[in-house]
Amino acid sequence: MKVYTIWEDPFKGRAFSEAQMNVIYDSMIEKAEYPTFEGWLWDMLRSGVFDVKCGNQEADQGFKKRIKQILPILKDLLSNASSGSECERDDIYAHTLDLMYAVEKYLDDND
């Protein structure tokens, strides 16, 4: 298994699996600058922001706990979306459902 260590804040010194790195990319990275996960990952490895190792090292176990905490927030966001305009509401629904799917898929893949 590949384990990526991040050397900059907010994750400085912590290690993540490739699946966890994909969640970080999906949720935190500006897609205009890095339209693909692979391009972002390669650039971060090349620049020394990340380090990758193969072996039995454990990825950050706290990450799974934190990602579980996101689901209730997303559900609240969906329930509160009805107060906006129709266009805003549809946009919130679409993005929230995408994030919920990504979180649930991550949790299913890593149980």
Side-chain angles (χ1 to χ4, degrees):
M1 172 175 123
K2 288 183 181 179
V3 175
Y4 297 86
T5 303
I6 300 178
W7 299 110
E8 290 186 1
D9 289 329
F11 302 115
K12 186 174 184 175
R14 294 175 50 200
F16 299 95
S17 70
E18 190 156 347
Q20 291 169 324
M21 294 297 285
N22 217 320
V23 171
I24 291 169
Y25 170 79
D26 287 341
S27 62
M28 299 179 73
I29 304 306
E30 176 60 48
K31 304 310 182 286
E33 183 175 0
Y34 293 106
T36 67
F37 170 73
E38 293 78 15
W40 169 72
L41 191 60
W42 180 85
D43 194 42
M44 296 300 106
L45 288 168
R46 181 187 56 78
S47 65
V49 173
F50 302 160
D51 185 345
V52 64
K53 299 206 182 325
C54 294
N56 294 330
Q57 299 156 330
E58 289 295 317
D60 183 358
Q61 296 303 309
F63 186 81
K64 187 173 179 180
K65 181 179 177 183
R66 289 186 301 278
I67 203 86
K68 282 183 179 181
Q69 294 170 340
I70 292 173
L71 282 174
I73 296 167
L74 293 174
K75 289 175 183 173
D76 284 345
L77 182 60
L78 275 178
S79 67
N80 293 329
S82 60
S83 63
S85 71
E86 185 175 341
C87 183
E88 290 171 333
R89 185 179 64 239
D90 290 348
D91 196 42
I92 290 171
Y93 283 148
H95 290 302
T96 304
L97 290 171
D98 286 345
L99 285 169
M100 288 179 74
Y101 172 76
V103 168
E104 289 169 350
K105 183 176 182 338
Y106 170 81
L107 292 171
D108 288 345
D109 290 348
N110 289 283
D111 274 340

